């Protein structure tokens, strides 16, 4: 019995193949020849016993019976089939039942255990593909089409719409070649419909992206009408979007509804989006009641912020105040589906938890949450500002209702913002007292709201030029929230207004450290550097602003002005050219460009920009004067008359412009008109010496009888003027003597500046019309600003008189002004 007992080996306990050679010795057929009992049984009559009829059903086979001595006796089957191991007709049948299939001990002799047949060597190499076969060509062509579709999509996402369309067209061409090849090879049943659908859909999308709407609609029609594309009907949504862009709203609604009918109800989100598009199309057409029904259905099935806001807009359009309130309550009841900020605060000092919170505090999911929260706040704030003036009897009552409704929702923090917005609305309505009262209510609230209110109060008082109050509230805003860039900017403004530019620059820098995108602080810092004459730093600030804001007119003007200060006219002109591309009708910028070109000597460009400035603002005296002088320089005196008449109309109390008009008539040879104009001037300004002198000269040249009258008036005016000068001179001498007596070190004579001031004081008082221009008319003789006169017409010979000598002596030749 011990020979059948197998002990477990002490070593190699983890041998995976142990026990494969262990089997019952009863089934050992190799030693049967030496088994006496077996050989005796085989030679006796037991091996040739006739078949025995089976007495028990189902026992068709017989089993060997072990004897007490270990021998075996076999029984034949009921069918007479010889039992395994029985010699029949002198041939012994092998006993296959006692060995494992595929495994024999004899096979293991002299060889290793190899149940997987690895000893047979590697498998034969695969059969090489034939690159010239039709199937291989079709497969490669399908791969190429797929690559083109991917390249088209990538180009679209990168913004290269033209390249995306070219790739989509190429994919369409290769797909048609692929279909023809399949038809030629007789494998048209294997056409890849998914590939065809992808090619057509991508092509239509690229057409729409390139605003080729007709081609896009035709391509979508090919997909929709093909019954082999099971989901092609959904693309009617895209067709509706194209019609919406083309402002064909009725067609867009029709296609949206057709798409809605073909989308099963299990796709709830897609159906909601299509209904939202239908509502927007109804708003575009002014069918507000139909739009209301669409948005009401959306808010009852799957409420969202956009649908709620559009519903408020529709009720506002129809003027239903009660429904506006209900829609606003539905809007603020929409779940935001954003985690609260508490989860980003560490509950303990666990370093692992703190590290995890720091990792998720600014990740992409956090950015999405912030954007969603910001969008919700914008919708609610805009809706409140829209309905507040109309849902109640007064604007204030409407805002109060909105504030209470928001306080009862999970947007509680927006209530304070609505209150501040209420104060801002008061400002727009010019109700400063109510705005101040509303903002002062926040002085006892939490620091963030207090800082915002104090910032607005400081801004209000700064606008009213009450710098003391503005400074107080700016200090309150900064102390409440030191990291509020708006509060720091206002504090800097108050310091700037008091003239402390260095300290103002520090506040602006601190505001920028807290918020580098605070453009107000950066702009004010540039202005401060200009005041401090730190031109390079100011230019650096404005160039940074230009990079942030792009085409800001104020920033471009400041950069051009700095380059002008730096005496770089070419750069100044370049930046002013950018500026007029933003504000092409600004007369100040155009005149500045004209001035720069004039300084550079380019008169034609200067005239162009001065004339454009005059066209947009024909009341700028400097521009009018330059245009008039330019016309005179170019010998267009008649054109100059137009500009000087405009100046005389703007400044009717200044005789200068009317004298220039008369001089233009005289220079152009129209002496009669010049004489009439001088007479009109003399009536308005009877004590103007220059007008009288030209009247004397013209009357003398034309041989008129009024010459003696004007000569008499001229002498009286000159005598009166001389008396005034003497009185002023005597008064000046008396004051000078008093000063010399009062101060021992006084000068003996007046300076040149005193003599000039004396001449100015000698002129008539400003109450008379003449005196408004007398400041520039100090000299007794008038110099014609229009230069030499044109040749006078010859008159009949006459005897030279005393008046002629007087005229030649007084007037002389006209000279150009400096």
């Amino acid at each position: 019995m011990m020979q059948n007992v197998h002990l477990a080996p002490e070593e190699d306990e983890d041998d995976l193949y142990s026990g494969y050679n262990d089997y019952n010795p009863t089934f050992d057929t190799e030693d049967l020849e030496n088994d006496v009992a077996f050989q005796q049984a085989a030679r006796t009559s037991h091996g040739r016993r006739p078949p025995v009829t089976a007495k028990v059903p189902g026992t068709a086979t017989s089993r060997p019976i072990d004897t007490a001595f270990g021998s075996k006796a076999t029984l034949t089957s009921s069918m007479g089939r010889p039992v395994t191991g029985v010699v029949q007709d002198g041939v012994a049948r092998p006993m296959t039942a006692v060995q494992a299939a595929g495994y024999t001990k004899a096979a293991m002799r002299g060889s290793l255990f190899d149940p997987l047949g690895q000893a047979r060597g590697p498998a034969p190499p695969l059969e090489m593909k034939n690159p010239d076969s039709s199937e291989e060509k079709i497969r490669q062509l399908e791969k190429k089409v797929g690559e083109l579709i991917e390249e088209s999509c990538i180009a679209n996402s990168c913004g290269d719409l033209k390249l995306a369309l070219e790739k989509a067209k190429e994919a369409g061409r290769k797909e048609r070649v692929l279909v023809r090849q399949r038809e030629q090879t007789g494998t048209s049943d294997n056409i890849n419909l998914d590939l065809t659908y992808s090619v057509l859909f991508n092509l239509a999308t690229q057409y729409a992206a390139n605003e080729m709407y007709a081609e896009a609609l035709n391509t979508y029609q090919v997909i929709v009408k093909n019954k082999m594309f099971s989901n092609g009907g959904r693309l009617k949504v895209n067709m509706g979007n194209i019609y919406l862009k083309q402002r064909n709203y009725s067609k867009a609604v029709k296609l949206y509804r057709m798409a809605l009918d073909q989308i099963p109800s299990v796709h709830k989100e897609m159906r909601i989006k299509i209904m939202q598009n239908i509502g927007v199309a109804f708003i575009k057409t002014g069918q507000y009641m139909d739009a209301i029904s669409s948005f009401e259905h959306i808010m009852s099935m799957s409420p969202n912020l956009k649908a709620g806001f559009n519903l408020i807009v529709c009720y506002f359009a129809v003027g239903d105040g009660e429904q506006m309130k209900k829609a606003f309550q539905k809007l603020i009841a929409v779940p935001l589906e954003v985690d609260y900020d508490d989860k980003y605060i560490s509950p303990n000092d666990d370093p692992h938890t703190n590290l995890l919170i720091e990792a998720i505090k600014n990740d992409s999911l956090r950015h999405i949450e912030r954007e969603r929260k910001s969008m919700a706040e914008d919708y609610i704030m805009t809706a409140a500002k829209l309905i507040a003036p109309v849902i109640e009897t007064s604007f204030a009552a409407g805002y109060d209702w909105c504030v209470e409704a928001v306080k009862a929702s999970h947007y509680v923090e927006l209530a304070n913002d609505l209150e501040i917005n209420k104060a801002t609305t008061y400002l727009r309505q010019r109700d400063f007292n109510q705005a101040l009262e509303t903002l002062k209510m926040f002085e006892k609230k939490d620091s963030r709201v207090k800082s915002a209110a104090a910032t607005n109060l400081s801004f209000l008082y700064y606008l009213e030029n009450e710098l003391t109050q503005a400074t107080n509230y700016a200090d309150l805003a900064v102390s409440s929230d030191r990291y509020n860039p708006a509060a720091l900017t206002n504090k800097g403004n108050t310091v700037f207004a008091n003239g402390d530019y260095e300290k103002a620059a520090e506040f602006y820098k601190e505001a920028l450290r807290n918020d580098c995108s605070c453009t107000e602080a950066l702009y004010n810092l540039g202005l401060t550097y200009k005041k401090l004459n730190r031109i390079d730093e100011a230019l650096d600030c404005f160039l940074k602003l230009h990079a942030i804001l792009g085409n800001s007119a104020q920033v471009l003007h400041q950069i051009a002005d700095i380059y002008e200060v730096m005496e770089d006219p070419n750069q100044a002109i370049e930046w002013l050219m950018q500026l007029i591309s933003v504000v092409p009708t600004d007369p100040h910028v155009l005149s500045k460009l004209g001035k720069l070109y004039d300084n550079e000597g380019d008169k034609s460009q200067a005239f162009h920009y001065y004339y454009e400035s005059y066209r947009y603002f024909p009341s700028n005296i400097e521009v009018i004067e330059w245009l008039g002088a330019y016309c005179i320089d170019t010998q267009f005196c008649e054109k100059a008359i137009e500009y000087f008449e405009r100046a005389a109309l703007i400044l009717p109390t200044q005789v200068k412009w009317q004298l220039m008009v008369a001089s233009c008539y005289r220079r152009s040879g129209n002496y009669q008109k010049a004489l009439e104009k001088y007479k009109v001037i003399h009536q308005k300004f009877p004590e103007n010496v220059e007008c009288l002198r030209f009247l004397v000269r013209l009357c003398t040249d034309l041989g008129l009888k009024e010459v003696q009258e004007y000569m008499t008036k001229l002498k009286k005016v000159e005598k009166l003027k001389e008396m005034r000068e003497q009185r002023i001179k005597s008064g000046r001498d008396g004051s000078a003597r008093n000063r010399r007596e009062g101060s021992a070190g006084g000068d003996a004579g007046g300076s040149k500046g005193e003599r000039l001031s004396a001449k100015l004081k000698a002129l008539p008082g400003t109450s008379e019309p003449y005196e408004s221009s007398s400041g520039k008319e100090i000299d007794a003789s008038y110099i014609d600003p229009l230069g030499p006169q044109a040749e006078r017409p010859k008159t009949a010979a006459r005897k030279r008189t005393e008046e002629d000598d007087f005229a030649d002596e007084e007037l002389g030749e006209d000279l150009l002004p400096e």
Side-chain angles (χ1 to χ4, degrees):
M1 294 177 62
M2 293 302 294
Q3 64 182 358
N4 296 329
V5 177
H6 301 278
L7 298 177
E10 295 180 0
E11 298 179 357
D12 299 335
E13 293 183 358
D14 296 333
D15 189 2
L16 296 176
Y17 301 103
S18 62
Y20 276 100
N21 293 329
D22 301 336
Y23 61 93
N24 195 334
T26 306
F27 303 108
D28 188 3
T29 60
E30 296 180 0
D31 295 332
L32 288 179
E33 294 180 357
N34 301 325
D35 192 341
V36 178
F38 178 76
Q39 294 296 333
Q40 181 64 30
R43 286 193 294 271
T44 61
S45 60
H46 291 285
R48 295 182 294 273
R49 185 174 295 179
V52 181
T53 304
K55 295 182 179 181
V56 181
T59 59
T61 58
S62 61
R63 298 182 181 180
I65 301 174
D66 294 341
T67 63
F69 299 96
S71 63
K72 303 181 180 72
T74 57
L75 298 177
T76 60
S77 66
S78 61
M79 303 298 294
R81 178 186 175 188
V83 184
T84 302
V86 176
V87 178
Q88 188 174 359
D89 298 332
V91 180
R93 182 181 178 186
M95 300 181 67
T96 58
V98 295
Q99 64 183 14
Y103 173 78
T104 60
K105 189 174 181 179
M108 292 295 295
R109 292 172 182 168
S111 63
L112 298 175
F113 175 72
D114 188 16
L116 301 178
Q118 297 179 358
R120 293 194 297 268
L126 298 175
E127 183 180 356
M128 296 296 294
K129 293 182 181 179
N130 185 8
D132 296 330
S133 64
S134 59
E135 277 300 322
E136 184 63 24
K137 289 180 179 179
I138 290 173
R139 194 176 297 110
Q140 292 297 326
L141 196 56
E142 284 184 350
K143 183 178 179 181
K144 181 62 177 177
V145 171
E147 291 175 355
L148 287 171
I149 294 174
E150 290 183 3
E151 292 174 4
S152 174
C153 296
I154 292 172
N156 183 289
S157 63
C158 295
D160 194 348
L161 301 180
K162 186 177 180 180
L163 178 62
L165 180 59
E166 291 176 358
K167 294 289 184 181
K169 288 181 178 179
E170 187 178 353
R173 288 192 294 268
K174 290 191 177 297
E175 195 273 336
R176 287 192 291 272
V177 172
L178 175 63
V179 171
R180 284 197 296 270
Q181 287 189 6
R182 283 200 177 276
E183 290 175 352
Q184 291 173 0
T185 57
T187 58
S188 57
D189 294 339
N190 297 329
I191 292 176
N192 192 344
L193 291 178
D194 291 338
L195 185 64
T196 305
Y197 180 88
S198 301
V199 169
L200 292 174
F201 178 65
N202 181 59
L203 181 60
T205 304
Q206 303 307 333
Y207 274 135
N210 285 272
E211 297 183 357
M212 301 170 67
Y213 297 130
E215 292 83 352
L217 289 172
N218 292 335
T219 310
Y220 279 128
Q221 285 287 358
V222 172
I223 302 175
V224 170
K225 291 182 178 179
N226 195 333
K227 301 300 181 183
M228 291 188 294
F229 300 138
S230 58
N231 294 325
R234 298 186 181 186
L235 296 182
K236 291 181 179 178
V237 177
N238 295 23
M239 298 173 68
N241 292 339
I242 292 176
Y243 282 119
L244 192 69
K245 291 179 182 178
Q246 293 179 332
R247 299 186 179 183
N248 191 348
Y249 302 119
S250 58
K251 191 78 172 178
V253 171
K254 179 181 177 181
L255 284 166
Y256 285 144
R257 285 177 170 170
M258 292 171 66
L260 195 63
D261 294 337
Q262 296 188 12
I263 294 176
S265 57
V266 293
H267 300 288
K268 180 180 177 181
E269 186 175 354
M270 183 178 290
R271 291 177 63 87
I272 290 296
K273 289 182 179 179
I274 295 175
M275 291 192 67
Q276 190 160 330
N277 286 5
I278 293 173
V280 171
F282 280 134
I283 291 177
K284 294 286 188 179
T285 57
Q287 297 173 297
Y288 297 112
M289 298 309 298
D290 294 330
I292 286 171
S293 61
S294 296
F295 292 127
E296 284 284 8
H297 177 74
I298 294 172
M299 293 301 290
S300 62
M301 297 295 295
S302 177
N304 61 77
L305 294 169
K306 290 184 179 179
F309 180 76
N310 288 335
L311 182 61
I312 292 174
V313 171
C314 292
Y315 281 127
F316 178 81
V318 299
D320 194 338
E322 289 299 323
Q323 291 296 333
M324 275 187 254
K325 290 183 178 180
K326 294 180 181 178
F328 185 76
Q329 290 174 337
K330 291 179 181 178
L331 176 64
I332 60 179
V334 173
L336 191 56
E337 298 178 357
V338 173
D339 292 331
Y340 294 101
D341 294 336
D342 296 341
K343 85 171 186 179
Y344 299 104
I345 300 175
S346 177
N348 49 40
D349 295 333
D350 183 14
H352 178 72
T353 305
N354 294 338
L355 185 62
L356 178 62
I357 290 174
E358 286 296 327
I360 67 174
K361 187 178 292 184
N362 292 310
D363 61 353
S364 57
L365 182 60
R366 177 60 171 162
H367 289 309
I368 293 174
E369 290 180 348
R370 287 173 178 168
E371 290 175 1
R372 185 177 297 177
K373 186 176 180 181
S374 176
M375 182 182 69
E377 292 176 355
D378 289 343
Y379 277 130
I380 294 172
M381 292 290 291
T382 307
K385 289 187 286 186
L386 180 67
I387 68 174
V390 295
I391 58 176
E392 296 290 347
T393 56
S394 66
F395 151 76
Y399 251 104
D400 291 339
W401 183 90
C402 292
V403 169
E404 293 301 324
V406 169
K407 285 182 179 178
S409 69
H410 49 272
Y411 297 99
V412 183
E413 63 274 7
L414 289 181
N416 293 326
D417 295 336
L418 277 175
E419 288 280 3
I420 293 178
N421 192 267
K422 177 182 176 182
T424 307
T425 309
Y426 277 129
L427 288 177
R428 292 195 184 98
Q429 296 177 351
R430 304 284 181 177
D431 194 347
F432 297 106
N433 294 329
Q434 286 292 339
L436 291 173
E437 291 180 7
T438 306
L439 291 172
K440 287 179 179 179
M441 292 165 46
F442 293 95
E443 292 183 6
K444 297 182 180 179
K445 294 193 176 183
D446 61 89
S447 60
R448 185 186 68 84
V449 180
K450 184 193 297 183
S451 177
T455 301
N456 289 332
L457 285 169
S458 173
F459 173 70
L460 284 176
Y461 284 118
Y462 182 82
L463 292 181
E464 293 180 356
N465 204 25
E466 296 184 17
L467 295 181
T468 304
Q469 289 287 354
T471 303
N472 293 337
Y473 280 105
D475 292 335
L476 177 62
V478 172
S479 61
S480 300
D481 185 3
R482 186 73 188 185
Y483 299 98
N484 185 356
L488 291 166
T489 302
N490 279 358
K491 177 61 179 175
N493 291 345
T494 58
V495 176
F496 184 95
N498 290 323
D500 192 350
Y501 303 123
E502 292 286 354
K503 192 173 182 180
E506 292 300 322
F507 280 110
Y508 295 141
K509 289 177 183 178
E510 186 176 355
L512 288 171
R513 284 194 294 270
N514 294 334
D515 183 8
C516 60
S517 63
C518 184
T519 55
E520 295 84 359
L522 188 57
Y523 184 88
N524 293 350
L525 182 62
L527 294 180
T528 306
Y529 282 143
K530 282 183 68 177
K531 287 287 188 181
L532 295 170
N533 202 26
R534 292 155 66 174
I535 303 300
D536 292 335
E537 294 176 76
L539 180 61
D540 184 55
C541 290
F542 290 121
L543 288 175
K544 288 179 182 177
L545 264 178
H546 177 64
I548 297 172
L549 300 178
N551 294 328
S552 171
Q554 292 178 327
V555 175
L556 291 172
H557 181 269
Q558 291 293 340
I559 294 174
D561 185 65
I562 288 175
Y563 276 118
E564 188 178 0
V565 172
M566 297 171 68
E567 297 181 356
D568 190 349
N570 293 328
Q571 283 290 336
I573 289 173
E574 181 180 343
W575 285 98
L576 286 175
M577 293 297 290
Q578 294 186 39
L579 179 55
I580 62 172
S581 67
V582 179
V583 282
T585 60
D586 191 313
H588 176 72
V589 177
L590 292 168
S591 65
K592 200 173 189 65
L593 264 172
K595 181 180 179 181
L596 288 172
Y597 276 116
D598 185 30
N599 294 337
E600 291 295 303
D602 193 344
K603 296 291 183 180
S604 60
Q605 285 287 351
F607 173 75
H608 169 73
Y609 287 110
Y610 270 125
Y611 181 76
E612 287 294 308
S613 176
Y614 172 77
R615 193 161 62 89
Y616 290 116
F617 183 59
S619 300
N620 191 332
I621 294 297
E622 293 181 1
V623 173
I624 292 172
E625 185 175 8
W626 191 93
L627 288 171
Y630 177 79
C631 290
I632 292 171
D633 290 341
T634 54
Q635 304 300 321
F636 290 104
C637 297
E638 295 83 358
K639 189 67 177 176
I641 292 172
E642 174 188 344
Y643 297 118
F644 293 137
E645 284 182 343
R646 170 72 65 172
L649 187 63
I650 297 169
L651 299 173
T653 59
Q654 289 190 9
V655 70
K656 169 184 176 180
W657 309 110
Q658 300 187 39
L659 288 172
M660 286 184 173
V661 172
S663 297
C664 288
Y665 282 127
R666 186 167 52 83
R667 287 177 58 82
S668 61
N670 195 344
Y671 295 104
Q672 192 62 38
K673 277 278 189 180
L675 181 61
E676 293 176 2
K677 187 64 179 176
Y678 280 126
K679 288 181 178 181
V680 172
I681 297 172
H682 178 63
Q683 291 177 358
K684 292 182 178 179
F685 306 96
E687 295 185 357
N688 186 271
V689 177
E690 290 76 12
C691 178
L692 287 171
R693 286 175 178 172
F694 280 109
L695 280 172
V696 170
R697 184 64 177 267
L698 282 175
C699 291
T700 303
D701 291 342
L702 296 175
L704 300 178
K705 297 180 180 179
E706 295 97 332
V707 62
Q708 189 63 39
E709 177 184 353
Y710 292 126
M711 285 183 64
T712 305
K713 291 181 178 180
L714 178 60
K715 291 178 179 179
K716 290 181 179 180
V717 170
E718 287 181 341
K719 188 175 182 179
L720 180 62
K721 190 173 182 179
E722 185 179 352
M723 292 173 61
R724 288 177 180 172
E725 289 179 356
Q726 289 177 355
R727 285 200 300 269
I728 293 174
K729 184 178 180 180
S730 61
R732 187 184 66 241
D733 293 340
S735 61
R737 282 196 301 271
N738 292 334
R739 286 196 299 273
R740 283 196 300 271
E741 293 174 358
S743 59
D747 291 334
S751 65
K752 183 179 178 181
E754 290 175 346
R755 291 195 298 272
L756 180 60
S757 63
K759 288 187 178 182
L760 287 173
K761 293 178 182 179
L763 299 178
T766 56
S767 60
E768 301 178 17
Y770 158 72
E771 300 308 326
S772 60
S773 63
S774 59
K776 294 183 180 180
E777 299 168 0
I778 299 173
D779 296 336
S781 62
Y782 174 75
I783 298 177
D784 190 352
L786 304 181
Q789 302 180 39
E791 185 179 356
R792 295 184 176 87
K794 294 182 180 180
T795 57
R798 59 185 176 85
K799 186 178 179 180
R800 186 172 181 85
T801 62
E802 183 181 357
E803 289 81 4
D804 294 333
D805 297 334
F806 175 82
D808 291 341
E809 181 182 354
E810 291 294 325
L811 290 178
E813 187 180 3
D814 295 337
L815 299 175
L816 285 173
E818 294 182 1

